Amino acid sequence: MNEQIFLQELKELDLLQQAMTVIDWDSQTGMPEASSEYRGETMGYLSSIYFEKKVGPKIKEALDYFEAHPNELSEVGQAAYRLVKEDYELNHAVPSELMAQYSAATSKAHTAWLNSREQNDFDVFKAALAENIRLTKELIPYWRRTEKTPYDVLLTQYEPNMTTEILDEVFATLRDGIMDIRQTLEEKGTVPDTTILSRYVSKAQQETFIRNVITQLGYDFSRGRLDDTIHPFATGINHRDVRITTRWNEHDFSMATFGVIHEAGHGMYEQNIDEKYEYTPAHEGASMGIHESQSLFNEIIIGSNRAFWEKQYPLFQTCTEGTFDDVPFDEFYAALKKTQASLVRIEADSLTYPLHIIIRYEIEKMMFNEEVAIDELPKIWNDKYEEYLGIRPDTDLEGILQDVHWSGSSFGYFPSYALGYMYAAQLFHAMKKELDVDAILASDDYAPIKQWLTKHIHQYGASKKPNELILNATNEPLNPQYLLEYMRDLYFTVYQVPSK
Amino acid sequence: MNEQIFLQELKELDLLQQAMTVIDWDSQTGMPEASSEYRGETMGYLSSIYFEKKVGPKIKEALDYFEAHPNELSEVGQAAYRLVKEDYELNHAVPSELMAQYSAATSKAHTAWLNSREQNDFDVFKAALAENIRLTKELIPYWRRTEKTPYDVLLTQYEPNMTTEILDEVFATLRDGIMDIRQTLEEKGTVPDTTILSRYVSKAQQETFIRNVITQLGYDFSRGRLDDTIHPFATGINHRDVRITTRWNEHDFSMATFGVIHEAGHGMYEQNIDEKYEYTPAHEGASMGIHESQSLFNEIIIGSNRAFWEKQYPLFQTCTEGTFDDVPFDEFYAALKKTQASLVRIEADSLTYPLHIIIRYEIEKMMFNEEVAIDELPKIWNDKYEEYLGIRPDTDLEGILQDVHWSGSSFGYFPSYALGYMYAAQLFHAMKKELDVDAILASDDYAPIKQWLTKHIHQYGASKKPNELILNATNEPLNPQYLLEYMRDLYFTVYQVPSK
């Protein structure tokens, strides 16, 4: 065994991954619907080759060898070794029969979830959800290393080194802070008029505008592309092929506008990971939360910035060919930042969004760290919406059935969304110490912002853990106060809340 | 060993093939150019898995077992077995080092060919071409089974059971017949005016028209799609995902119009192979020639038909939004069918096209069955153009350097194009005995034509050989007279040649 053999094995794994990524992109963009069963078989077969190889003899041999000979690895080799080892330790002990049961259960649960949505009835989904929870609980002991609670085991699969202990505190602060802000806005704020948001803007007009904007932000179209899809995503096939997707609504331009800016944030992250990590597992995002911090930095931090929109509005007016000629900038900008409680997470605005996440976090913790009856979940869900957001779902469809995640047993995933948002605000705070962000966003050259993010986050890929990245970039561990401060500044201004 | 194990192995091979086909489609349509090296690595790795498996122990075991137990195979199993056996026998004896040399040489030759085109100088390409020929000659003995001449060995790789003995006679008849027709047109015909062909038709207008037309012809968009590319092609990923591509010229609508009709013919073939052959090597076209017969049936037989265009012209006028309102149908139709000698094969019309092919056939035969000096080839090429087409290339670029095929060692491929054309005319002759094709093309329902082709050709996939398909469908072996008759009828009418 030597490093070259180890890296060659990782490269072959990566090439298989690249193949699957292209094919998956195709499934979600262009594939004729009629072909989906065949596509499932193709992906299933490639996955089986991939996973066999991932826990195959060469990897095992490399892990044993470099455990004893760590000094024979280069820096890149060491980063790769750590990640491969973590992954191997997580999965190699799981009985393959249990894993097969788990896969079959999620596949069945996905169908049950779709049916339950069609019938708008949680009862149709609950047995499958219970089975997903049961099997996940069976798996937790195999996955568990040093984590304190069962739910911590799930959490760390998406956000390494994150704990419920940290999240309980952070989320409580965030929840209370947001509820405070909402109360102030309600009592003292002026609600923006949003009627202009529904003016007709053709797909072609939107696309011209948004391609221009994300190019300014630093998304590199010569190493990417933008396509239509139903559920938007970004996907990095390799360093020079990082694609983004969106859907369009000609009566709500804000959907694709912020959607594309969001996906471009994911895309820029993957386009700017240091090339030296290529063909290794370090050549990807550090975690779901860090990935989301980059998309949300684009979408919310930049996408809510007044100077940014003052700069872009003339371009928007040109691209929309006269449709907004009568709309003063202040009216346009304020309309973009109206906040209103909604029942559906993916329709939530940037103030209320974390509350949706916190509700899911609290319920997932109940599922795994406490005993909760499946039958009680819709009521718990609805009660929490009423308590935190002041609105109550009338039906399961706009309540507990809205997200796909639990049907796929992706328990522990949701917190990433709120973590990403807090990271983004904290990075913004640190960035402002070095850069005059408003002045940059008012200028013709946005490069310094991307460069800062590349320097502190992008370049490292998965070679550093999320907490390490945030500490190094901001000189502080995760601190929810930066997001709350950011929200207060932004919304109190837009809502013209009189200062004390 | 049993049939199920054998078919499962073939299915896995087919799934790998499907993966490579999607990825290749992506490379030719949407992939960012910057990623092409990575893509090469991905395809290279998948190919290596595929080819190892294709000559692997399971296939070997199945071939041995069913050689001794042929009765244990179902009809589909037998068809698959025959094809796998042929393929295995063709390739298993080839020394892998020779194969590697051959691959490396074609890759090098492709670069040399591109360079030679840039410099418009055959000398830059000739050493690489000589090496391709040399290595192909070294391979021929490994590939050879019962073929009489070295060139027959190459020919049968694209058109099973075809021989130079047949082609010498067929091509001589065709060449002389076409030269006769051309002489008659020149002496007695009236040349159509083609100025209307260059009127501006936007890509969107062309696309609306042509999507409608190929849907009428029977291309199923619910199991396919149409995309832009540089070198148009059709590709069957599986039974329910058969894609076609085109390029557009807004000052020559005929390019994409006939291009898409052509590719749709390939697509309809693959969409209509009997599903029972799925996941086996029988689920593809019978040969290059038969495949081309289906695309040319669409493009030329239907695409030159007066009744077809009389029916489609009002739609064309609507789609082009007034641009052709002043053009009488007769003028439009005649413009489509002007014939004129050209130096470049892919720009040739449907009368002169076979002459381009015959020239290449005669030269390839000289390369492999006779001794010819590489240095002589440009002169031989130019002399033949002068003799058969009456025009002589001024430069290598519009002469011997125009085609990619020889850089990839695809010797023996060219005849397929002319074979497909002759098959198409012969099928048309047989079809007319059962169907009133003109009446159908004037009607709202083109289904009977597709049904006839599916019944006689499409459904069988590769389970029958080309000569068997043609004999069964037309009650006669390949006969070039049908194409000559067809050409006379068509061009004498369009050119208003007085009947004797």
Side-chain angles (χ1 to χ4, degrees):
Chain A
M1 178 56 57
N2 61 43
E3 177 169 278
Q4 209 188 336
I5 295 172
F6 176 51
L7 292 179
Q8 176 60 29
E9 186 71 3
L10 295 182
K11 180 172 176 175
E12 290 179 6
L13 280 163
D14 190 75
L15 291 173
L16 280 168
Q17 186 94 64
Q18 290 194 32
M20 290 190 284
T21 310
V22 181
I23 295 171
D24 186 53
W25 170 86
D26 183 77
S27 307
Q28 294 189 62
T29 53
M31 181 191 72
E33 187 52 36
S35 177
S36 63
E37 249 177 74
Y38 293 77
R39 184 54 58 85
E41 299 236 36
T42 304
M43 284 298 272
Y45 181 59
L46 288 181
S47 300
S48 72
I49 297 176
Y50 178 77
F51 284 107
E52 262 173 47
K53 196 173 172 76
K54 208 171 162 181
V55 293
K58 271 209 188 136
I59 292 294
K60 181 76 180 66
E61 193 194 331
L63 289 176
D64 291 346
Y65 182 84
F66 293 114
E67 172 100 53
H69 306 81
N71 297 332
E72 294 180 22
L73 286 169
S74 66
E75 182 218 331
V76 170
Q78 281 171 29
Y81 170 79
R82 281 194 301 272
L83 292 162
V84 171
K85 186 168 177 235
E86 285 166 19
D87 192 66
Y88 189 87
E89 287 178 350
L90 193 65
N91 290 309
H92 84 285
V94 176
S96 59
E97 202 192 321
L98 180 56
M99 206 59 206
Q101 275 178 55
Y102 173 79
S103 291
T106 57
S107 163
K108 225 171 125 181
H110 187 70
T111 308
W113 175 71
L114 291 172
N115 290 338
S116 74
R117 282 173 61 83
E118 231 163 71
Q119 297 171 50
N120 196 353
D121 185 357
F122 178 72
D123 282 354
V124 177
F125 180 46
K126 71 179 183 188
L129 175 58
E131 183 67 359
N132 275 356
I133 296 172
R134 186 185 74 75
L135 286 164
T136 302
K137 283 182 174 170
E138 273 200 52
L139 279 162
I140 285 173
Y142 296 102
W143 285 332
R144 196 163 184 165
R145 287 154 301 173
T146 57
E147 293 86 355
K148 281 196 188 156
T149 79
Y151 188 64
D152 284 273
V153 175
L154 303 175
L155 204 51
T156 52
Q157 296 200 2
Y158 302 98
E159 201 65 12
N161 301 335
M162 186 47 64
T163 65
T164 49
E165 202 176 336
I166 297 172
L167 275 190
D168 281 346
E169 199 187 315
V170 160
F171 277 170
T173 306
L174 190 60
R175 183 192 61 209
D176 297 346
I178 292 172
M179 287 171 74
D180 270 358
I181 296 171
R182 279 172 47 78
Q183 200 176 338
T184 307
L185 295 182
E186 204 179 328
E187 287 166 6
K188 305 183 189 160
T190 309
V191 182
D193 181 353
T194 59
T195 47
I196 57 126
L197 293 183
S198 56
R199 288 198 183 172
Y200 178 84
V201 183
S202 74
K203 177 188 159 182
Q205 291 171 333
Q206 293 183 42
E207 192 165 348
T208 306
F209 173 67
I210 202 61
R211 280 179 176 268
N212 188 317
V213 168
I214 63 173
T215 302
Q216 293 176 60
L217 289 171
Y219 176 77
D220 180 356
F221 270 104
S222 81
R223 297 186 289 140
R225 46 180 291 137
L226 169 62
D227 293 270
D228 300 356
T229 190
I230 295 171
H231 303 291
F233 62 96
T235 187
I237 295 161
N238 59 55
H239 198 79
R240 299 207 189 138
D241 189 357
V242 180
R243 305 180 184 191
I244 59 176
T245 61
T246 192
R247 51 182 184 156
W248 309 89
N249 182 341
E250 296 190 323
H251 294 282
D252 178 9
F253 68 84
S254 73
M255 192 180 83
T257 298
F258 291 106
V260 173
I261 294 178
H262 178 100
E263 299 306 338
H266 286 302
M268 286 157 60
Y269 186 6
E270 302 235 348
Q271 285 182 337
N272 293 301
I273 297 171
D274 196 319
E275 283 200 46
K276 71 184 178 192
Y277 296 121
E278 273 187 334
Y279 297 128
T280 80
H283 198 276
E284 55 188 43
S287 70
M288 291 296 152
I290 294 292
H291 231 305
E292 204 65 13
S293 78
Q294 297 310 295
S295 54
L296 292 174
F297 192 93
N298 256 18
E299 177 194 346
I300 302 184
I301 306 297
I302 294 179
S304 303
N305 185 286
R306 190 183 164 89
F308 168 77
W309 276 110
E310 259 181 315
K311 166 80 187 163
Q312 301 301 333
Y313 192 49
L315 175 65
F316 181 78
Q317 287 178 307
T318 306
C319 292
T320 52
E321 297 168 282
T323 308
F324 290 84
D325 282 0
D326 63 320
V327 182
F329 172 72
D330 283 334
E331 187 185 333
F332 175 80
Y333 175 67
L336 296 178
K337 296 312 301 177
K338 185 181 172 183
T339 170
Q340 186 168 27
S342 69
L343 292 168
V344 176
R345 176 181 63 85
I346 59 167
E347 292 165 6
D349 58 66
S350 59
L351 179 60
T352 55
Y353 189 80
L355 298 176
H356 294 261
I357 299 307
I358 292 166
I359 290 170
R360 286 152 180 77
Y361 167 73
E362 292 176 355
I363 294 175
E364 289 190 343
K365 241 184 15 171
M366 294 167 81
M367 290 172 176
F368 291 95
N369 288 0
E370 302 159 32
E371 288 299 323
V372 64
I374 292 284
D375 284 318
E376 295 299 311
L377 291 178
K379 184 175 179 304
I380 294 170
W381 180 287
N382 294 350
D383 287 349
K384 285 189 184 287
Y385 266 81
E386 194 157 0
E387 186 185 349
Y388 299 163
L389 283 145
I391 49 177
R392 191 177 182 90
D394 281 331
T395 70
D396 294 336
L397 194 58
E398 50 182 30
I400 194 167
L401 290 179
Q402 68 184 266
D403 297 305
V404 70
H405 304 60
W406 292 344
S407 75
S409 283
S410 302
F411 307 108
Y413 186 117
F414 280 120
S416 317
Y417 296 117
L419 282 166
Y421 197 4
M422 289 185 283
Y423 293 153
Q426 189 165 335
L427 290 168
F428 181 48
H429 181 85
M431 184 189 287
K432 280 193 295 185
K433 288 184 194 160
E434 294 172 39
L435 302 177
D436 184 346
V437 178
D438 285 348
I440 292 168
L441 288 173
S443 82
D444 284 333
D445 181 12
Y446 290 0
I449 295 174
K450 189 183 88 172
Q451 281 156 7
W452 193 96
L453 291 169
T454 297
K455 182 182 163 198
H456 293 283
I457 304 289
H458 301 166
Q459 63 161 322
Y460 298 110
S463 71
K464 293 189 189 296
K465 297 297 175 205
N467 53 329
E468 194 183 353
L469 285 169
I470 293 300
L471 184 63
N472 291 350
T474 70
N475 285 316
E476 200 177 341
L478 174 64
N479 179 346
Q481 292 302 342
Y482 296 111
L483 178 54
L484 288 170
E485 249 172 50
Y486 169 80
M487 286 170 161
R488 268 181 225 113
D489 278 358
L490 178 70
Y491 282 97
F492 288 0
T493 307
V494 172
Y495 274 68
Q496 303 170 37
V497 173
S499 40
K500 284 162 206 171
Chain B
M1 179 54 59
N2 61 44
E3 177 169 279
Q4 209 187 335
I5 295 172
F6 176 50
L7 292 178
Q8 176 59 29
E9 187 70 5
L10 294 183
K11 181 173 175 173
E12 289 179 8
L13 280 163
D14 190 76
L15 291 172
L16 281 167
Q17 184 95 64
Q18 290 193 33
M20 290 190 283
T21 310
V22 181
I23 295 169
D24 185 54
W25 170 87
D26 183 77
S27 307
Q28 294 190 62
T29 54
M31 180 189 75
E33 188 50 39
S35 177
S36 63
E37 248 179 74
Y38 294 76
R39 183 55 55 88
E41 300 236 34
T42 303
M43 284 298 272
Y45 182 59
L46 288 181
S47 300
S48 73
I49 297 176
Y50 177 76
F51 285 108
E52 262 174 47
K53 197 173 170 77
K54 207 171 162 182
V55 293
K58 270 209 188 137
I59 292 294
K60 181 75 179 67
E61 193 193 333
L63 288 177
D64 291 344
Y65 182 84
F66 292 116
E67 171 103 51
H69 306 80
N71 298 332
E72 291 178 26
L73 285 169
S74 67
E75 182 219 330
V76 170
Q78 282 172 27
Y81 170 78
R82 281 194 302 272
L83 292 162
V84 172
K85 187 168 176 237
E86 284 166 19
D87 192 66
Y88 189 88
E89 287 178 351
L90 194 65
N91 291 310
H92 85 285
V94 176
S96 58
E97 202 192 319
L98 180 56
M99 207 61 208
Q101 275 179 54
Y102 173 79
S103 292
T106 57
S107 162
K108 224 170 126 182
H110 187 71
T111 309
W113 175 71
L114 292 171
N115 290 338
S116 73
R117 281 173 61 84
E118 231 163 71
Q119 297 172 50
N120 196 354
D121 185 358
F122 178 72
D123 281 355
V124 177
F125 180 46
K126 71 180 183 188
L129 175 59
E131 182 67 359
N132 275 357
I133 295 172
R134 187 186 72 76
L135 286 164
T136 303
K137 282 182 176 170
E138 270 202 53
L139 279 161
I140 285 174
Y142 296 103
W143 284 333
R144 195 162 185 168
R145 287 155 302 174
T146 58
E147 293 87 354
K148 281 196 191 159
T149 78
Y151 187 63
D152 283 273
V153 175
L154 303 175
L155 203 53
T156 53
Q157 296 198 5
Y158 301 98
E159 201 66 11
N161 301 335
M162 186 47 65
T163 65
T164 49
E165 202 176 337
I166 298 172
L167 276 189
D168 281 347
E169 197 188 316
V170 160
F171 278 171
T173 306
L174 190 60
R175 183 191 61 209
D176 297 346
I178 293 172
M179 287 171 74
D180 270 356
I181 296 171
R182 281 173 44 78
Q183 200 175 341
T184 306
L185 295 181
E186 205 177 323
E187 287 166 6
K188 305 183 189 160
T190 310
V191 181
D193 180 353
T194 59
T195 48
I196 58 128
L197 293 182
S198 55
R199 289 196 182 175
Y200 178 83
V201 183
S202 74
K203 178 188 160 183
Q205 291 171 333
Q206 292 184 41
E207 192 166 348
T208 307
F209 172 67
I210 202 59
R211 282 180 174 267
N212 189 317
V213 168
I214 64 173
T215 302
Q216 293 177 60
L217 290 172
Y219 177 78
D220 181 356
F221 269 105
S222 80
R223 299 186 288 141
R225 48 181 290 136
L226 169 63
D227 292 270
D228 300 355
T229 190
I230 296 171
H231 302 292
F233 62 97
T235 187
I237 295 162
N238 59 53
H239 198 80
R240 299 204 189 141
D241 190 356
V242 181
R243 305 179 184 192
I244 58 177
T245 60
T246 193
R247 51 182 185 157
W248 310 88
N249 182 340
E250 295 190 325
H251 294 283
D252 176 9
F253 68 84
S254 73
M255 192 180 82
T257 298
F258 291 106
V260 173
I261 294 179
H262 178 99
E263 299 307 337
H266 286 303
M268 287 159 59
Y269 186 5
E270 303 236 348
Q271 285 182 336
N272 293 301
I273 297 171
D274 196 319
E275 283 200 44
K276 71 184 177 194
Y277 296 120
E278 272 184 337
Y279 296 127
T280 79
H283 199 277
E284 54 188 43
S287 70
M288 291 297 153
I290 295 291
H291 232 307
E292 204 65 15
S293 78
Q294 298 308 295
S295 54
L296 292 175
F297 192 94
N298 257 18
E299 178 193 346
I300 303 185
I301 306 296
I302 294 179
S304 303
N305 186 287
R306 189 182 165 89
F308 168 76
W309 276 110
E310 259 182 313
K311 166 79 187 165
Q312 300 301 333
Y313 191 49
L315 174 66
F316 181 77
Q317 287 179 309
T318 306
C319 291
T320 51
E321 299 169 280
T323 307
F324 290 84
D325 283 0
D326 62 322
V327 181
F329 171 72
D330 282 334
E331 188 186 332
F332 175 80
Y333 175 66
L336 297 178
K337 295 312 301 177
K338 186 183 171 183
T339 171
Q340 187 167 26
S342 68
L343 291 168
V344 176
R345 177 181 62 85
I346 60 168
E347 293 166 5
D349 58 66
S350 58
L351 179 60
T352 55
Y353 189 79
L355 298 177
H356 294 261
I357 299 308
I358 292 167
I359 290 169
R360 287 153 178 78
Y361 167 73
E362 292 175 355
I363 295 175
E364 289 190 342
K365 241 182 17 170
M366 294 166 80
M367 291 171 175
F368 291 95
N369 288 0
E370 304 160 31
E371 286 301 323
V372 66
I374 293 284
D375 283 318
E376 295 299 309
L377 290 178
K379 183 174 179 303
I380 295 171
W381 179 287
N382 294 350
D383 287 349
K384 284 187 186 287
Y385 266 80
E386 194 158 359
E387 185 186 350
Y388 300 162
L389 284 145
I391 48 177
R392 190 178 182 90
D394 281 331
T395 70
D396 293 337
L397 194 57
E398 49 183 30
I400 195 167
L401 290 178
Q402 68 183 266
D403 297 304
V404 70
H405 304 59
W406 293 344
S407 76
S409 283
S410 301
F411 307 108
Y413 186 119
F414 280 121
S416 318
Y417 296 116
L419 282 167
Y421 196 5
M422 290 186 281
Y423 294 153
Q426 188 165 336
L427 290 168
F428 182 46
H429 180 84
M431 185 189 285
K432 280 194 293 185
K433 289 183 194 163
E434 293 171 41
L435 301 178
D436 184 345
V437 177
D438 285 349
I440 292 167
L441 289 172
S443 80
D444 285 334
D445 181 12
Y446 290 180
I449 294 173
K450 188 181 89 172
Q451 280 156 9
W452 194 95
L453 291 168
T454 297
K455 182 180 162 198
H456 292 283
I457 304 290
H458 300 167
Q459 62 160 322
Y460 297 110
S463 71
K464 293 189 191 297
K465 296 300 174 203
N467 53 329
E468 193 182 353
L469 287 169
I470 293 300
L471 184 63
N472 291 350
T474 69
N475 283 316
E476 203 177 338
L478 173 65
N479 180 345
Q481 292 302 342
Y482 296 112
L483 178 54
L484 288 170
E485 249 170 52
Y486 168 81
M487 286 171 160
R488 268 182 225 115
D489 278 358
L490 178 70
Y491 282 98
F492 287 1
T493 307
V494 172
Y495 274 67
Q496 303 170 39
V497 173
S499 38
K500 285 161 201 170

